[in-house]
Amino acid sequence: MKRAQLTEKLLDLKREKGWTWKYICEKIGGHSEVLVVGAILGQMKLTKPQAAAAAELFGLSKVETAMLNEVPMRGEGITMPPTDPLIYRFYELVMINGPAWKALIEEEFGDGIMSAIDFDMVMDRLPNPKGDRVKITMSGKFLPYKYYGATGNNQEYGFKEE
C-alpha cells in the first residue's frame, strides 16, 4: 500500500463514520489539530503512540500503522501553483506579502529565514457580525544564515548587526 492509498482509506472511513476532524484529533491527541490532520492527509508523521491511537480508531494493520509513523515525502502530489481556491489564497498571500515579510524579518532579525521545521501554528475562528474570520498564528524559529569561511572579526552568522 502506498501512502496516498492510506490517506484515501482514512478519508473514506472518516466519511463513512461521519467523524469530524475535531473528533479524530481528540482521539489521536498529542499535537495540534493542524499537525494531526496533516498526518492523516499524508504530509506529516505521527509519533508511535499517536499512530497506535490512529490504528485503534481506524482499525489499521501493522503496515498501515507503521506508515503513519514514517517521515512522508512532504508536498508530494500538490500542484504548483495550487488550483484549489482556498489553498491558492495562501499562495497568493505569500506572493503578494512575501517580499514585505522578508524585508521586515530581515530588518528585525538579520540575514536568515523563519523555520518551517521549528514551527508552531494555531487556527482560530473569530466571531464577527460581518462574517466570521479565520485567524492563523504562525511562529517559526529564526535561523540565521551561516557565512562560511568567516575569519578574523567577521561574523559567522547573519544575526542583525548593531
Side-chain angles (χ1 to χ4, degrees):
M1 172 178 277
K2 294 189 179 206
R3 184 62 187 161
Q5 292 170 309
L6 176 57
T7 295
E8 286 306 313
K9 176 180 177 174
L10 298 174
L11 291 173
D12 285 345
L13 285 165
K14 177 186 178 295
R15 290 180 198 104
E16 180 184 309
K17 304 280 187 181
W19 292 338
T20 63
W21 285 118
K22 186 171 284 304
Y23 174 80
I24 292 168
C25 291
E26 286 172 0
K27 292 295 183 185
I28 294 173
H31 288 110
S32 82
E33 291 180 352
V34 175
L35 191 143
V36 173
V37 173
I40 299 297
L41 296 176
Q43 297 300 315
M44 299 296 281
K45 76 180 258 325
L46 296 177
T47 63
K48 286 184 179 181
Q50 287 174 306
E56 185 175 330
L57 178 65
F58 288 100
L60 302 179
S61 71
K62 287 183 181 184
V63 170
E64 292 166 331
T65 305
M67 288 174 75
L68 288 174
N69 180 243
E70 292 173 356
V71 177
M73 181 64 74
R74 294 179 174 101
E76 187 173 65
I78 297 175
T79 303
M80 290 306 287
T83 55
D84 178 87
L86 193 144
I87 296 172
Y88 182 81
R89 291 303 167 262
F90 286 101
Y91 182 77
E92 184 178 52
L93 280 166
V94 172
M95 286 189 308
I96 293 168
N97 297 293
W101 294 338
K102 176 180 171 27
L104 292 165
I105 289 169
E106 288 172 347
E107 182 175 89
E108 181 69 26
F109 293 92
D111 185 13
I113 63 169
M114 181 179 97
S115 177
I117 303 223
D118 190 342
F119 181 82
D120 291 313
M121 182 171 17
V122 177
M123 186 187 79
D124 294 303
R125 182 179 191 145
L126 300 178
N128 188 300
K130 294 180 181 177
D132 288 358
R133 301 183 65 81
V134 177
K135 178 181 178 185
I136 296 176
T137 305
M138 298 185 290
S139 171
K141 179 180 180 180
F142 178 73
L143 301 172
Y145 279 105
K146 182 175 182 183
Y147 300 151
Y148 47 90
T151 59
N153 64 352
N154 290 314
Q155 70 182 44
E156 187 176 6
Y157 290 95
F159 287 114
K160 182 178 177 181
E161 295 183 70
E162 298 298 327

mmCIF file with all atom_site columns, all heavy atoms in Angstrom, residues 31-48:
data_model
loop_
_atom_site.group_PDB
_atom_site.id
_atom_site.type_symbol
_atom_site.label_atom_id
_atom_site.label_alt_id
_atom_site.label_comp_id
_atom_site.label_asym_id
_atom_site.label_entity_id
_atom_site.label_seq_id
_atom_site.pdbx_PDB_ins_code
_atom_site.Cartn_x
_atom_site.Cartn_y
_atom_site.Cartn_z
_atom_site.occupancy
_atom_site.B_iso_or_equiv
_atom_site.pdbx_formal_charge
_atom_site.auth_seq_id
_atom_site.auth_comp_id
_atom_site.auth_asym_id
_atom_site.auth_atom_id
_atom_site.pdbx_PDB_model_num
ATOM 1   N N   . HIS A 1 31 ? -0.771 16.480 19.661 1.00 0.00 ? 31 HIS A N   1
ATOM 2   C CA  . HIS A 1 31 ? -0.245 17.619 18.907 1.00 0.00 ? 31 HIS A CA  1
ATOM 3   C C   . HIS A 1 31 ? -1.397 18.491 18.424 1.00 0.00 ? 31 HIS A C   1
ATOM 4   O O   . HIS A 1 31 ? -2.568 18.159 18.604 1.00 0.00 ? 31 HIS A O   1
ATOM 5   C CB  . HIS A 1 31 ? 0.591  17.160 17.703 1.00 0.00 ? 31 HIS A CB  1
ATOM 6   C CG  . HIS A 1 31 ? 1.912  16.583 18.085 1.00 0.00 ? 31 HIS A CG  1
ATOM 7   N ND1 . HIS A 1 31 ? 2.190  15.243 17.959 1.00 0.00 ? 31 HIS A ND1 1
ATOM 8   C CD2 . HIS A 1 31 ? 3.028  17.140 18.611 1.00 0.00 ? 31 HIS A CD2 1
ATOM 9   C CE1 . HIS A 1 31 ? 3.419  15.005 18.376 1.00 0.00 ? 31 HIS A CE1 1
ATOM 10  N NE2 . HIS A 1 31 ? 3.953  16.133 18.789 1.00 0.00 ? 31 HIS A NE2 1
ATOM 11  N N   . SER A 1 32 ? -1.041 19.567 17.751 1.00 0.00 ? 32 SER A N   1
ATOM 12  C CA  . SER A 1 32 ? -2.060 20.473 17.227 1.00 0.00 ? 32 SER A CA  1
ATOM 13  C C   . SER A 1 32 ? -2.922 19.770 16.188 1.00 0.00 ? 32 SER A C   1
ATOM 14  O O   . SER A 1 32 ? -2.492 18.795 15.554 1.00 0.00 ? 32 SER A O   1
ATOM 15  C CB  . SER A 1 32 ? -1.413 21.711 16.599 1.00 0.00 ? 32 SER A CB  1
ATOM 16  O OG  . SER A 1 32 ? -0.987 21.441 15.276 1.00 0.00 ? 32 SER A OG  1
ATOM 17  N N   . GLU A 1 33 ? -4.126 20.288 16.013 1.00 0.00 ? 33 GLU A N   1
ATOM 18  C CA  . GLU A 1 33 ? -5.018 19.737 15.000 1.00 0.00 ? 33 GLU A CA  1
ATOM 19  C C   . GLU A 1 33 ? -4.399 19.836 13.613 1.00 0.00 ? 33 GLU A C   1
ATOM 20  O O   . GLU A 1 33 ? -4.567 18.937 12.787 1.00 0.00 ? 33 GLU A O   1
ATOM 21  C CB  . GLU A 1 33 ? -6.366 20.449 15.031 1.00 0.00 ? 33 GLU A CB  1
ATOM 22  C CG  . GLU A 1 33 ? -7.189 20.150 16.264 1.00 0.00 ? 33 GLU A CG  1
ATOM 23  C CD  . GLU A 1 33 ? -8.527 20.860 16.288 1.00 0.00 ? 33 GLU A CD  1
ATOM 24  O OE1 . GLU A 1 33 ? -8.793 21.714 15.418 1.00 0.00 ? 33 GLU A OE1 1
ATOM 25  O OE2 . GLU A 1 33 ? -9.330 20.549 17.186 1.00 0.00 ? 33 GLU A OE2 1
ATOM 26  N N   . VAL A 1 34 ? -3.678 20.915 13.346 1.00 0.00 ? 34 VAL A N   1
ATOM 27  C CA  . VAL A 1 34 ? -3.060 21.095 12.026 1.00 0.00 ? 34 VAL A CA  1
ATOM 28  C C   . VAL A 1 34 ? -2.075 19.959 11.758 1.00 0.00 ? 34 VAL A C   1
ATOM 29  O O   . VAL A 1 34 ? -2.058 19.383 10.660 1.00 0.00 ? 34 VAL A O   1
ATOM 30  C CB  . VAL A 1 34 ? -2.368 22.476 11.918 1.00 0.00 ? 34 VAL A CB  1
ATOM 31  C CG1 . VAL A 1 34 ? -1.632 22.613 10.598 1.00 0.00 ? 34 VAL A CG1 1
ATOM 32  C CG2 . VAL A 1 34 ? -3.381 23.603 12.074 1.00 0.00 ? 34 VAL A CG2 1
ATOM 33  N N   . LEU A 1 35 ? -1.279 19.603 12.746 1.00 0.00 ? 35 LEU A N   1
ATOM 34  C CA  . LEU A 1 35 ? -0.299 18.535 12.556 1.00 0.00 ? 35 LEU A CA  1
ATOM 35  C C   . LEU A 1 35 ? -0.992 17.178 12.399 1.00 0.00 ? 35 LEU A C   1
ATOM 36  O O   . LEU A 1 35 ? -0.642 16.410 11.495 1.00 0.00 ? 35 LEU A O   1
ATOM 37  C CB  . LEU A 1 35 ? 0.681  18.492 13.735 1.00 0.00 ? 35 LEU A CB  1
ATOM 38  C CG  . LEU A 1 35 ? 1.893  17.589 13.495 1.00 0.00 ? 35 LEU A CG  1
ATOM 39  C CD1 . LEU A 1 35 ? 3.134  18.195 14.105 1.00 0.00 ? 35 LEU A CD1 1
ATOM 40  C CD2 . LEU A 1 35 ? 1.675  16.193 14.003 1.00 0.00 ? 35 LEU A CD2 1
ATOM 41  N N   . VAL A 1 36 ? -1.971 16.887 13.226 1.00 0.00 ? 36 VAL A N   1
ATOM 42  C CA  . VAL A 1 36 ? -2.647 15.585 13.150 1.00 0.00 ? 36 VAL A CA  1
ATOM 43  C C   . VAL A 1 36 ? -3.393 15.437 11.824 1.00 0.00 ? 36 VAL A C   1
ATOM 44  O O   . VAL A 1 36 ? -3.272 14.410 11.152 1.00 0.00 ? 36 VAL A O   1
ATOM 45  C CB  . VAL A 1 36 ? -3.591 15.375 14.356 1.00 0.00 ? 36 VAL A CB  1
ATOM 46  C CG1 . VAL A 1 36 ? -4.413 14.102 14.194 1.00 0.00 ? 36 VAL A CG1 1
ATOM 47  C CG2 . VAL A 1 36 ? -2.791 15.333 15.663 1.00 0.00 ? 36 VAL A CG2 1
ATOM 48  N N   . VAL A 1 37 ? -4.127 16.468 11.422 1.00 0.00 ? 37 VAL A N   1
ATOM 49  C CA  . VAL A 1 37 ? -4.832 16.405 10.137 1.00 0.00 ? 37 VAL A CA  1
ATOM 50  C C   . VAL A 1 37 ? -3.812 16.301 9.003  1.00 0.00 ? 37 VAL A C   1
ATOM 51  O O   . VAL A 1 37 ? -3.998 15.528 8.059  1.00 0.00 ? 37 VAL A O   1
ATOM 52  C CB  . VAL A 1 37 ? -5.779 17.608 9.948  1.00 0.00 ? 37 VAL A CB  1
ATOM 53  C CG1 . VAL A 1 37 ? -6.364 17.631 8.542  1.00 0.00 ? 37 VAL A CG1 1
ATOM 54  C CG2 . VAL A 1 37 ? -6.899 17.573 10.989 1.00 0.00 ? 37 VAL A CG2 1
ATOM 55  N N   . GLY A 1 38 ? -2.709 17.048 9.102  1.00 0.00 ? 38 GLY A N   1
ATOM 56  C CA  . GLY A 1 38 ? -1.647 16.953 8.103  1.00 0.00 ? 38 GLY A CA  1
ATOM 57  C C   . GLY A 1 38 ? -1.110 15.531 7.978  1.00 0.00 ? 38 GLY A C   1
ATOM 58  O O   . GLY A 1 38 ? -0.812 15.063 6.878  1.00 0.00 ? 38 GLY A O   1
ATOM 59  N N   . ALA A 1 39 ? -0.996 14.835 9.097  1.00 0.00 ? 39 ALA A N   1
ATOM 60  C CA  . ALA A 1 39 ? -0.517 13.451 9.070  1.00 0.00 ? 39 ALA A CA  1
ATOM 61  C C   . ALA A 1 39 ? -1.533 12.534 8.401  1.00 0.00 ? 39 ALA A C   1
ATOM 62  O O   . ALA A 1 39 ? -1.166 11.677 7.588  1.00 0.00 ? 39 ALA A O   1
ATOM 63  C CB  . ALA A 1 39 ? -0.217 12.972 10.487 1.00 0.00 ? 39 ALA A CB  1
ATOM 64  N N   . ILE A 1 40 ? -2.809 12.716 8.710  1.00 0.00 ? 40 ILE A N   1
ATOM 65  C CA  . ILE A 1 40 ? -3.852 11.899 8.067  1.00 0.00 ? 40 ILE A CA  1
ATOM 66  C C   . ILE A 1 40 ? -3.846 12.149 6.556  1.00 0.00 ? 40 ILE A C   1
ATOM 67  O O   . ILE A 1 40 ? -4.052 11.234 5.763  1.00 0.00 ? 40 ILE A O   1
ATOM 68  C CB  . ILE A 1 40 ? -5.245 12.216 8.661  1.00 0.00 ? 40 ILE A CB  1
ATOM 69  C CG1 . ILE A 1 40 ? -5.295 11.911 10.159 1.00 0.00 ? 40 ILE A CG1 1
ATOM 70  C CG2 . ILE A 1 40 ? -6.356 11.491 7.897  1.00 0.00 ? 40 ILE A CG2 1
ATOM 71  C CD1 . ILE A 1 40 ? -5.090 10.478 10.539 1.00 0.00 ? 40 ILE A CD1 1
ATOM 72  N N   . LEU A 1 41 ? -3.561 13.403 6.164  1.00 0.00 ? 41 LEU A N   1
ATOM 73  C CA  . LEU A 1 41 ? -3.533 13.752 4.741  1.00 0.00 ? 41 LEU A CA  1
ATOM 74  C C   . LEU A 1 41 ? -2.193 13.436 4.077  1.00 0.00 ? 41 LEU A C   1
ATOM 75  O O   . LEU A 1 41 ? -1.981 13.763 2.908  1.00 0.00 ? 41 LEU A O   1
ATOM 76  C CB  . LEU A 1 41 ? -3.883 15.234 4.566  1.00 0.00 ? 41 LEU A CB  1
ATOM 77  C CG  . LEU A 1 41 ? -5.300 15.618 5.011  1.00 0.00 ? 41 LEU A CG  1
ATOM 78  C CD1 . LEU A 1 41 ? -5.505 17.119 4.886  1.00 0.00 ? 41 LEU A CD1 1
ATOM 79  C CD2 . LEU A 1 41 ? -6.342 14.852 4.215  1.00 0.00 ? 41 LEU A CD2 1
ATOM 80  N N   . GLY A 1 42 ? -1.271 12.813 4.816  1.00 0.00 ? 42 GLY A N   1
ATOM 81  C CA  . GLY A 1 42 ? -0.017 12.340 4.233  1.00 0.00 ? 42 GLY A CA  1
ATOM 82  C C   . GLY A 1 42 ? 1.124  13.333 4.199  1.00 0.00 ? 42 GLY A C   1
ATOM 83  O O   . GLY A 1 42 ? 2.135  13.065 3.563  1.00 0.00 ? 42 GLY A O   1
ATOM 84  N N   . GLN A 1 43 ? 1.014  14.450 4.912  1.00 0.00 ? 43 GLN A N   1
ATOM 85  C CA  . GLN A 1 43 ? 2.051  15.478 4.848  1.00 0.00 ? 43 GLN A CA  1
ATOM 86  C C   . GLN A 1 43 ? 2.919  15.555 6.108  1.00 0.00 ? 43 GLN A C   1
ATOM 87  O O   . GLN A 1 43 ? 3.933  16.249 6.107  1.00 0.00 ? 43 GLN A O   1
ATOM 88  C CB  . GLN A 1 43 ? 1.420  16.855 4.588  1.00 0.00 ? 43 GLN A CB  1
ATOM 89  C CG  . GLN A 1 43 ? 0.708  16.944 3.265  1.00 0.00 ? 43 GLN A CG  1
ATOM 90  C CD  . GLN A 1 43 ? 1.634  16.691 2.085  1.00 0.00 ? 43 GLN A CD  1
ATOM 91  O OE1 . GLN A 1 43 ? 2.741  17.206 2.021  1.00 0.00 ? 43 GLN A OE1 1
ATOM 92  N NE2 . GLN A 1 43 ? 1.192  15.864 1.157  1.00 0.00 ? 43 GLN A NE2 1
ATOM 93  N N   . MET A 1 44 ? 2.523  14.909 7.174  1.00 0.00 ? 44 MET A N   1
ATOM 94  C CA  . MET A 1 44 ? 3.281  14.908 8.429  1.00 0.00 ? 44 MET A CA  1
ATOM 95  C C   . MET A 1 44 ? 3.345  13.467 8.935  1.00 0.00 ? 44 MET A C   1
ATOM 96  O O   . MET A 1 44 ? 2.694  12.577 8.389  1.00 0.00 ? 44 MET A O   1
ATOM 97  C CB  . MET A 1 44 ? 2.595  15.798 9.480  1.00 0.00 ? 44 MET A CB  1
ATOM 98  C CG  . MET A 1 44 ? 2.464  17.255 9.077  1.00 0.00 ? 44 MET A CG  1
ATOM 99  S SD  . MET A 1 44 ? 4.037  18.107 8.862  1.00 0.00 ? 44 MET A SD  1
ATOM 100 C CE  . MET A 1 44 ? 4.455  18.447 10.559 1.00 0.00 ? 44 MET A CE  1
ATOM 101 N N   . LYS A 1 45 ? 4.123  13.243 10.005 1.00 0.00 ? 45 LYS A N   1
ATOM 102 C CA  . LYS A 1 45 ? 4.167  11.914 10.608 1.00 0.00 ? 45 LYS A CA  1
ATOM 103 C C   . LYS A 1 45 ? 3.613  11.985 12.013 1.00 0.00 ? 45 LYS A C   1
ATOM 104 O O   . LYS A 1 45 ? 3.697  13.015 12.674 1.00 0.00 ? 45 LYS A O   1
ATOM 105 C CB  . LYS A 1 45 ? 5.584  11.343 10.608 1.00 0.00 ? 45 LYS A CB  1
ATOM 106 C CG  . LYS A 1 45 ? 6.508  11.937 11.651 1.00 0.00 ? 45 LYS A CG  1
ATOM 107 C CD  . LYS A 1 45 ? 7.892  11.345 11.603 1.00 0.00 ? 45 LYS A CD  1
ATOM 108 C CE  . LYS A 1 45 ? 8.267  10.359 12.571 1.00 0.00 ? 45 LYS A CE  1
ATOM 109 N NZ  . LYS A 1 45 ? 8.146  9.970  13.792 1.00 0.00 ? 45 LYS A NZ  1
ATOM 110 N N   . LEU A 1 46 ? 3.031  10.899 12.461 1.00 0.00 ? 46 LEU A N   1
ATOM 111 C CA  . LEU A 1 46 ? 2.574  10.777 13.838 1.00 0.00 ? 46 LEU A CA  1
ATOM 112 C C   . LEU A 1 46 ? 3.648  10.076 14.657 1.00 0.00 ? 46 LEU A C   1
ATOM 113 O O   . LEU A 1 46 ? 4.429  9.272  14.115 1.00 0.00 ? 46 LEU A O   1
ATOM 114 C CB  . LEU A 1 46 ? 1.273  9.961  13.898 1.00 0.00 ? 46 LEU A CB  1
ATOM 115 C CG  . LEU A 1 46 ? 0.045  10.564 13.215 1.00 0.00 ? 46 LEU A CG  1
ATOM 116 C CD1 . LEU A 1 46 ? -1.131 9.591  13.304 1.00 0.00 ? 46 LEU A CD1 1
ATOM 117 C CD2 . LEU A 1 46 ? -0.319 11.907 13.813 1.00 0.00 ? 46 LEU A CD2 1
ATOM 118 N N   . THR A 1 47 ? 3.694  10.352 15.956 1.00 0.00 ? 47 THR A N   1
ATOM 119 C CA  . THR A 1 47 ? 4.581  9.596  16.838 1.00 0.00 ? 47 THR A CA  1
ATOM 120 C C   . THR A 1 47 ? 4.039  8.170  16.943 1.00 0.00 ? 47 THR A C   1
ATOM 121 O O   . THR A 1 47 ? 2.890  7.897  16.564 1.00 0.00 ? 47 THR A O   1
ATOM 122 C CB  . THR A 1 47 ? 4.623  10.229 18.236 1.00 0.00 ? 47 THR A CB  1
ATOM 123 O OG1 . THR A 1 47 ? 3.312  10.162 18.804 1.00 0.00 ? 47 THR A OG1 1
ATOM 124 C CG2 . THR A 1 47 ? 5.118  11.671 18.191 1.00 0.00 ? 47 THR A CG2 1
ATOM 125 N N   . LYS A 1 48 ? 4.835  7.266  17.468 1.00 0.00 ? 48 LYS A N   1
ATOM 126 C CA  . LYS A 1 48 ? 4.372  5.878  17.605 1.00 0.00 ? 48 LYS A CA  1
ATOM 127 C C   . LYS A 1 48 ? 3.105  5.784  18.458 1.00 0.00 ? 48 LYS A C   1
ATOM 128 O O   . LYS A 1 48 ? 2.169  5.072  18.070 1.00 0.00 ? 48 LYS A O   1
ATOM 129 C CB  . LYS A 1 48 ? 5.488  4.987  18.140 1.00 0.00 ? 48 LYS A CB  1
ATOM 130 C CG  . LYS A 1 48 ? 6.542  4.707  17.085 1.00 0.00 ? 48 LYS A CG  1
ATOM 131 C CD  . LYS A 1 48 ? 7.605  3.760  17.578 1.00 0.00 ? 48 LYS A CD  1
ATOM 132 C CE  . LYS A 1 48 ? 8.608  3.521  16.451 1.00 0.00 ? 48 LYS A CE  1
ATOM 133 N NZ  . LYS A 1 48 ? 9.662  2.594  16.840 1.00 0.00 ? 48 LYS A NZ  1
#
